[in-house]
Amino acid sequence: MPGLDLFDDALEPRLARLVIETARRWVDESAFDRTNAGWEHAIVRASEPVLIRDFGGPIGETIVAALHQRGVLPHRAYGLMLYAWPPASYIAWHSDGRHDDAVTVYLNPSWDRDWGGLFLYEDDAGDIRAVLPRFNLALRNSAKLPHATTPVTADAPEPRFTLQLFPRAPGSA
């Protein structure tokens, strides 16, 4: 679909494993510093809190550089965040507002479709399509396509972990 691109093996497998291990450790340590509570109500709706932490420093720079090198990102001026999506978390239909580009990298080594967390979008014919999260898959929405996710189910063995990247505004750090 124009404006929606999928990239298998978005990160070198060793780096992707390091990121998921970091994500799990941050959940265990309660090291996330914010949630989706600041998002627009129309996007959050009845979602459980999505845990969010900026992913900076040398490892963040390595991740952004790797995604740029593999063609996922057109440049390196992206903000990088780690999201942990617990049971009953989701995001309602939206188009990423002011962002002309958005990238998600799925991190869970295994994810069953019955655990929810599917990325939904509307194709050119008006049909709703879904992308199943799978390890190290990057999804790039460069057309502001309206999209949503299905709720993560109560029997998911761990949160659905994603990297979220949005272009930084010119002049921002």
Side-chain angles (χ1 to χ4, degrees):
M1 164 124 201
L4 186 69
D5 298 300
L6 301 177
F7 302 85
D8 287 312
D9 301 318
L11 298 169
E12 190 272 326
R14 194 179 81 194
L15 179 57
R17 285 191 298 276
L18 173 66
V19 174
I20 187 66
E21 290 166 8
T22 300
R24 288 172 174 152
R25 186 179 75 249
W26 285 352
V27 165
D28 290 343
E29 297 171 354
S30 299
F32 289 82
D33 56 10
R34 64 186 184 282
T35 71
N36 59 341
W39 297 352
E40 294 176 31
H41 175 73
I43 296 172
V44 176
R45 299 179 56 95
S47 176
E48 285 296 312
V50 176
L51 305 176
I52 304 168
R53 180 171 171 174
D54 290 322
F55 210 136
I59 190 167
E61 292 171 14
T62 299
I63 292 165
V64 170
L67 292 170
H68 178 257
Q69 181 180 2
R70 292 184 179 236
V72 177
L73 302 178
H75 53 79
R76 293 184 184 191
Y78 277 78
L80 173 64
M81 296 166 285
L82 180 69
Y83 286 16
W85 303 79
S89 65
Y90 65 97
I91 191 165
W93 286 94
H94 68 289
S95 61
D96 288 329
R98 61 183 166 82
H99 299 290
D100 291 332
D101 195 31
V103 175
T104 299
V105 180
Y106 298 101
L107 299 171
N108 299 80
S110 63
W111 194 260
D112 188 288
R113 65 183 174 193
D114 287 330
W115 297 336
L118 281 68
F119 177 89
L120 304 176
Y121 67 97
E122 188 174 346
D123 69 14
D124 291 335
D127 295 321
I128 303 299
R129 303 287 181 187
V131 175
L132 176 66
R134 65 179 184 270
F135 179 66
N136 209 8
L137 172 72
L139 183 150
R140 182 170 174 220
N141 180 357
S142 58
K144 289 192 167 195
L145 293 173
H147 57 282
T149 65
T150 62
V152 174
T153 63
D155 62 341
E158 65 180 344
R160 182 174 70 102
F161 292 107
T162 61
L163 291 174
Q164 301 297 143
L165 297 101
F166 298 96
R168 287 194 299 256
S172 65

